[in-house]
Amino acid sequence: MNVLVTGCAGFIGTNFVYYYLRNHKDSFIVGLDKLTYAGNIQNFSNLKEEEKKNFIFVKGDISNLELVNYLFSVYDFDVVVNFAAESHVDRSIFDPATFVLTNVLGVQSLLSVAMSFWKKGDSWKSGKKFIQVSTDEVYGSLGPDGYFTEETPLDPHSPYSASKAGGDLIAKSYYHTFGMPVIITRCSNNYGPYQFPEKLIPLMVWNALNHKELPVYGDGKNVRDWLYVEDHCRAIDLVIEKGKIGEVYNIGGHNERENIYVVKKIIEILRNKTGDSKINESLIKFVKDRPGHDRRYAMDPKKIINELGWKHSFSFEEGLEITIDWYLNNLDWVRSVISGDYLKFYEKNYSNR
Ligand code: NAD
Ligand code: TYD
């Protein structure tokens, strides 16, 4: 099977490439990534020799029609997994336009090329699938009770989630209008190796190790439903294998935690692992809240459990230990990815928080 994995050099894309090559030795992956600040080609240096034979990396934009056309003409893809996106809520507050370009127009562009190769007259080649990887954030925010189901109406609040909802809807429209074999997956907050240190968990790990302040937004009681990235990759693998065309699948680990709990747990694990007494709760700084900060996300993953047989295998505390070990063993990776443009962005927008 030939698979186009877009956004392959970002956090989840990288983990997916490793996961898929390890578990599908007869498949070939073309990884397409624009290499924004969030993409890093060095992530693939740990692929085994036999895995490298089944993978090529192409630097490029999902909106580049000519390039994507060329890739389809050479590789005749069976599956597209679209991870490519601008993914950070805080950045979307400073620069919404980039989010619309990639997360809405980029998706449409990719769909249009896939359709031109997969649709023959009025019928579609069999066995093709376009997986649009999306987020629970398109559903908006929950109060203290209840869960997002696939039927929850979309009610995005940030430019990030609104752009993802736009991408989902355009993908869905290709299914309804043209019969395109689209499946949408919506997952909760992922964590694990290779996550860019702008997101909560890796940022807190890096700051704590450097005895820098740990900026907790608002009262720290916002809740996220944490999903270990390998569990997410397994879910997408199942969706490729057994997912029903035109459907949406929610993916969540039932690991809801308040942000302040997550930060305190990171401090505890890091202090135990490093023996560094300067890593303690005095580093925590409650800062001005993120505008439009969603209070709580929590997924109901019953559908993917019942229909596709998926189950999460990592509890939050287990996954967090593994994640922290990975960062402790890959500090050079963190140093290299936060150099350059990203650091400038961070210092400009957050230094006075
Ligand atoms: P990420 O920011 O780490 O990686 C995104 C990748 O996409 C980067 O490598 C970047 O270079 C690439 N990219 C950006 N614009 C591109 C373009 N126009 N063309 C080609 N490549 C481009 O993001 P992530 O955390 O790995 O998220 C992957 C997907 O999963 C995204 O669609 C995101 O919305 C979704 N998602 C992520 C989470 C999470 O917790 N990380 C949760 C729910 C959904
Ligand atoms: P984040 O990792 O940005 O993911 P998302 O906003 O997509 O859920 O943030 C996770 C939670 O952590 C969210 O409630 C915002 C909060 N947060 C902080 O309190 N401090 C920080 O420095 C960051 C990056 C996030």
Side-chain angles (χ1 to χ4, degrees):
M1 189 150 83
N2 283 355
V3 184
L4 175 63
V5 177
T6 66
C8 68
F11 161 48
I12 305 175
T14 297
N15 281 282
F16 183 77
V17 167
Y18 276 95
Y19 178 90
Y20 205 78
L21 290 173
R22 207 167 51 231
N23 289 286
H24 298 272
K25 298 198 174 4
D26 52 347
S27 285
F28 187 82
I29 292 183
V30 175
L32 174 66
D33 198 296
K34 187 178 171 182
L35 297 183
T36 67
Y37 76 94
N40 183 12
I41 194 177
Q42 296 308 324
N43 293 0
F44 302 115
S45 56
N46 293 323
L47 283 175
K48 297 191 184 122
E49 281 313 312
E50 69 266 24
E51 292 166 344
K52 283 184 185 156
K53 286 187 198 132
N54 291 333
F55 176 66
I56 64 156
F57 175 78
V58 177
K59 181 178 175 187
D61 195 313
I62 53 168
S63 308
N64 183 337
L65 289 170
E66 204 182 328
L67 172 65
V68 179
N69 249 298
Y70 173 76
L71 295 176
F72 266 84
S73 68
V74 175
Y75 294 101
D76 187 21
F77 296 115
D78 302 294
V79 172
V80 175
V81 187
N82 182 34
F83 292 106
E86 289 294 336
S87 69
H88 189 38
V89 174
D90 291 328
R91 288 179 78 97
S92 79
I93 295 166
F94 293 108
D95 175 23
T98 311
F99 283 69
V100 174
L101 281 176
T102 288
N103 300 358
V104 184
L105 293 175
V107 176
Q108 188 276 327
S109 190
L110 204 51
L111 285 160
S112 71
V113 179
M115 183 160 100
S116 71
F117 280 86
W118 290 352
K119 192 168 187 200
K120 294 286 159 230
D122 280 343
S123 57
W124 288 80
K125 289 186 182 169
S126 64
K128 307 291 186 187
K129 275 184 181 169
F130 187 106
I131 316 290
Q132 168 62 9
V133 177
S134 187
T135 166
D136 56 1
E137 303 192 24
V138 299
Y139 296 123
S141 183
L142 290 165
D145 303 314
Y147 298 94
F148 297 131
T149 71
E150 288 80 0
E151 278 70 48
T152 304
L154 303 195
D155 182 23
H157 294 156
S158 71
Y160 163 66
S161 52
S163 66
K164 290 297 292 185
D168 287 14
L169 292 177
I170 203 78
K172 215 159 180 235
S173 80
Y174 267 66
Y175 165 70
H176 286 295
T177 308
F178 307 113
M180 174 113 185
V182 168
I183 301 176
I184 296 169
T185 62
R186 296 191 178 126
C187 63
S188 57
N189 284 62
N190 281 220
Y191 66 105
Y194 298 104
Q195 187 167 33
F196 195 89
E198 63 186 350
K199 305 276 167 52
L200 180 72
I201 290 178
L203 177 77
M204 295 297 159
V205 171
W206 179 248
N207 280 10
L209 284 172
N210 290 287
H211 307 144
K212 293 208 294 210
E213 280 172 353
L214 308 179
V216 175
Y217 299 164
D219 63 3
K221 295 197 170 152
N222 299 63
V223 171
R224 297 295 181 262
D225 180 359
W226 295 96
L227 175 66
Y228 188 63
V229 64
E230 193 179 310
D231 280 334
H232 183 198
C233 293
R234 204 157 31 76
I236 293 180
D237 191 6
L238 277 172
V239 169
I240 293 174
E241 201 190 321
K242 302 198 259 181
K244 248 178 84 190
I245 302 300
E247 295 289 313
V248 174
Y249 294 94
N250 283 353
I251 308 163
H254 272 314
N255 277 297
E256 289 178 48
R257 301 287 185 279
E258 286 186 349
N259 292 339
I260 191 65
Y261 168 87
V262 174
V263 174
K264 287 184 178 172
K265 196 77 199 162
I266 290 171
I267 291 171
E268 181 193 313
I269 297 175
L270 272 179
R271 202 184 36 237
N272 288 342
K273 285 189 188 288
T274 60
D276 182 348
S277 61
K278 286 191 185 152
I279 301 180
N280 60 54
E281 292 184 11
S282 71
L283 294 174
I284 295 175
K285 185 179 176 202
F286 288 92
V287 297
K288 194 161 151 252
D289 209 354
R290 172 190 277 171
H293 195 177
D294 287 336
R295 192 62 171 171
R296 175 171 165 260
Y297 303 142
M299 277 299 210
D300 179 353
K302 258 196 235 79
K303 179 171 171 180
I304 192 164
I305 292 173
N306 294 341
E307 294 183 14
L308 306 188
W310 177 81
K311 208 163 102 227
H312 78 273
S313 34
F314 293 87
S315 74
F316 178 66
E317 286 67 19
E318 281 166 343
L320 191 60
E321 286 263 349
I322 302 171
T323 303
I324 289 179
D325 281 337
W326 187 87
Y327 280 95
L328 287 173
N329 291 322
N330 289 277
L331 295 175
D332 283 345
W333 180 89
V334 181
R335 278 186 205 100
S336 83
V337 301
I338 63 172
S339 62
D341 282 355
Y342 172 68
L343 198 58
K344 283 189 215 128
F345 168 85
Y346 197 81
E347 279 169 357
K348 179 167 155 240
N349 294 302
Y350 292 110
S351 54
N352 298 321
R353 191 154 48 175

